[in-house]
Amino acid sequence: MTQKPHVAIFPSPGMGHLIPLTELAKKFALNYDLSSTFIVPSIGPPPEAQKKVLGSLPEGINYISLPPVSFDDLPGIRAETQISLTITRSLSSVRDVLKSLAASTRLVALVLDLFGTDVIDIASELSVPSYIASLSTGCGISVHGRDLPDPIQDRKDDAYKWFLHHSKRHSLAEGILLNSFVDLEPETIKALQDQELGNLPPIYPVGPIIYSGSSIGASGHECLQWMDDQPNGSVLYISFGSGGTLSFEQLNELAMGLEISEQKFLWVVRSPDKSASASYFSATSNTDPYSFLPKGFLDRTKGQGLVVPSWAPQIQVLSHGSTGGFLTHCGWNSTLESIVHGVPLIAWPLYAEQKTNAVLLSAGLKVALRPEVDGNGLVGREEIAKVVKGLMQGEEGAAIRRRMKGLKEAAAKAVSEEGSSTKSLHELVSKWKN
């Protein structure tokens, strides 16, 4: 009996990288009878969120955790640099796992994300074709320098050098999977597929790939019971993703802005930090976030809003009838989740490629309002109240809602049986199986 085709999947550290790749693996298993093994690098003990996701994978999808990497010799380095170094410091372990998979399975491909390009060399040694899963937008709109990812803005920073290093290695892959779909970025995807942008391997738009699991602990979550009692489309959901944190001053301005907007809100709050990506690797709040809110805020907004610490079952919230808007950090996973559920946005980017996504959403697709930052680098309470009211009640908000409804329909069509993304994935898997 011939062995089932097997795919090795290498996510770089961070929940935002792991989740879309686990969803891709589920598609491989359920629709194409492909088995897969995750090779998971780590910086320390795995966060609870990661344990839950890996522990709930269906049959045919396995995972191997690599020995943790230490950064005691490099305190205080940027998250982006830490991700790349975690991978280079894990390469000998990766080689051992890939060798063993190549010997024990019918290994047809290695799928890795943008930070994992150094693993391509090991796969080549073993004659296994590598594919890069680009977990963000193709982004073909004009972007001002200030809206490029932070590491690209400082050429002296190691993160900039790593960015260039990985970008130059894209051409070594056999193909690039894009977590986007043709109707979302038609011109960009056409240009990428027509090779107008130079030396790129074939592009496969296979999105939107979003989290499909029932969030563990979601069904009885207090916020969903609270949402059940709110009017249809009345609640603004606020979350800065699994890794985003605000400064103390910004947290206060956001609280006061929400209060004076008089709009209903559900706010996933984390304790503040000077670094916007402070909870990137842990995906939880470091201390009790309630103690940092303005004095009396929770009492004054009791009927108006609900504040929950660290985490909410986002998919269930976005698909709830009471949700009328989403104030988001513009991480690509959250962006696609809001498109799939047709929820209009307030774009509030923090780090990584989020500012570029915010430009695409506000200026390109026109499905988001973007608050202006003042001279001190803060979004002030009056600006917050104005934008929140504008989205939830204004004419502009209504127009955004209509455009987002169109994208929701296009997203559903892309992943339907005859849809463009389904065909694209089918083409790729057929290549592997043959």
Side-chain angles (χ1 to χ4, degrees):
M1 194 173 121
T2 53
Q3 268 186 309
K4 189 186 278 196
H6 196 84
V7 182
I9 302 177
F10 185 80
S12 51
M15 291 304 292
H17 298 150
L18 181 66
I19 285 175
L21 287 172
T22 57
E23 292 302 325
L24 188 61
K26 288 178 195 173
K27 281 183 184 272
F28 292 157
L30 299 171
N31 303 344
Y32 299 101
D33 202 26
L34 285 179
S35 56
S36 48
T37 298
F38 276 82
I39 305 169
V40 187
S42 73
I43 290 167
E48 278 308 309
Q50 180 180 305
K51 283 200 274 197
K52 282 176 181 169
V53 168
L54 292 172
S56 62
L57 290 172
E59 203 182 331
I61 308 177
N62 304 308
Y63 70 94
I64 293 166
S65 298
L66 299 178
V69 167
S70 164
F71 285 104
D72 294 347
D73 57 326
L74 292 170
I77 55 170
R78 293 183 81 116
E80 293 92 344
T81 306
Q82 207 171 339
I83 290 169
S84 293
L85 283 174
T86 300
I87 291 162
T88 53
R89 292 180 174 194
S90 302
L91 286 176
S92 64
S93 317
V94 177
R95 179 177 273 105
D96 294 344
V97 173
L98 275 178
K99 266 187 173 165
S100 133
L101 286 174
S104 60
T105 69
R106 187 180 146 211
L107 192 58
V108 294
L110 166 70
V111 176
L112 37 84
D113 64 39
L114 296 171
F115 289 99
T117 64
D118 287 310
V119 181
I120 293 176
D121 299 340
I122 300 172
S124 300
E125 288 166 28
L126 300 166
S127 305
V128 176
S130 298
Y131 291 79
I132 292 172
S134 173
L135 304 174
S136 61
T137 159
C139 198
I141 50 162
S142 304
V143 176
H144 192 286
R146 65 173 172 260
D147 285 318
L148 289 169
D150 293 337
I152 306 177
Q153 300 194 33
D154 179 2
R155 293 184 177 197
K156 294 186 191 72
D157 196 300
D158 278 348
Y160 174 77
K161 291 163 195 158
W162 279 112
F163 184 87
L164 284 186
H165 168 78
H166 293 304
S167 303
K168 285 174 183 165
R169 293 175 61 80
H170 276 42
S171 58
L172 301 174
E174 290 284 321
I176 295 176
L177 285 73
L178 206 55
N179 192 6
S180 187
F181 55 101
V182 176
D183 285 348
L184 185 65
E185 310 177 82
E187 286 161 23
T188 308
I189 288 174
K190 185 179 187 303
L192 290 169
Q193 289 181 325
D194 291 349
Q195 298 294 313
E196 285 171 30
L197 302 177
N199 182 23
L200 277 176
I203 303 287
Y204 300 92
V206 296
I209 294 170
I210 65 165
Y211 186 55
S212 67
S214 61
S215 306
I216 293 151
S219 55
H221 199 280
E222 60 164 332
C223 72
L224 296 178
Q225 295 167 349
W226 180 82
M227 297 283 286
D228 289 342
D229 296 332
Q230 309 310 316
N232 199 38
S234 67
V235 177
L236 177 70
Y237 170 57
I238 301 131
S239 170
F240 292 93
S242 57
T245 36
L246 300 177
S247 68
F248 176 68
E249 295 78 10
Q250 187 61 82
L251 188 78
N252 268 276
E253 288 301 313
L254 178 52
M256 297 312 293
L258 290 172
E259 184 177 339
I260 59 180
S261 78
E262 299 182 333
Q263 302 301 304
K264 290 186 170 289
F265 64 86
L266 167 64
W267 182 11
V268 180
V269 75
R270 282 206 177 88
S271 49
D273 199 285
K274 288 188 184 74
S275 161
S277 57
S279 33
Y280 181 81
F281 293 109
S282 66
T284 54
S285 193
N286 303 325
T287 47
D288 168 28
Y290 289 154
S291 58
F292 296 97
L293 293 168
K295 201 169 171 15
F297 169 77
L298 291 172
D299 290 333
R300 292 193 303 274
T301 56
K302 205 163 190 148
Q304 180 190 350
L306 180 69
V307 178
V308 295
S310 286
W311 182 86
Q314 182 156 301
I315 294 287
Q316 283 84 342
V317 171
L318 290 174
S319 59
H320 198 287
S322 299
T323 302
F326 180 13
L327 190 159
T328 173
H329 65 309
C330 303
W332 195 239
N333 291 332
S334 288
T335 297
L336 289 178
E337 286 165 9
S338 50
I339 287 171
V340 167
H341 294 101
V343 179
L345 302 170
I346 292 172
W348 188 315
L350 296 178
Y351 62 94
E353 86 299 358
Q354 295 163 9
K355 285 185 280 193
T356 313
N357 294 344
V359 176
L360 174 72
L361 293 164
S362 55
L365 297 166
K366 296 185 167 55
V367 291
L369 296 179
R370 189 171 176 186
E372 288 189 20
V373 178
D374 68 19
N376 303 317
L378 288 176
V379 183
R381 58 188 71 177
E382 299 294 341
E383 174 71 1
I384 292 164
K386 182 185 92 179
V387 172
V388 168
K389 270 186 166 153
L391 185 75
M392 300 303 284
Q393 289 189 335
E395 274 302 301
E396 205 176 358
I400 285 176
R401 202 161 269 110
R402 285 193 294 276
R403 283 191 287 272
M404 194 53 121
K405 185 171 181 280
L407 283 184
K408 175 185 179 175
E409 288 161 7
K413 191 177 159 197
V415 293
S416 67
E417 209 169 312
E418 288 297 309
S420 57
S421 293
T422 305
K423 285 179 177 165
S424 195
L425 191 58
H426 187 73
E427 184 192 336
L428 178 68
V429 172
S430 302
K431 196 171 166 181
W432 291 349
K433 287 186 163 179
N434 299 326

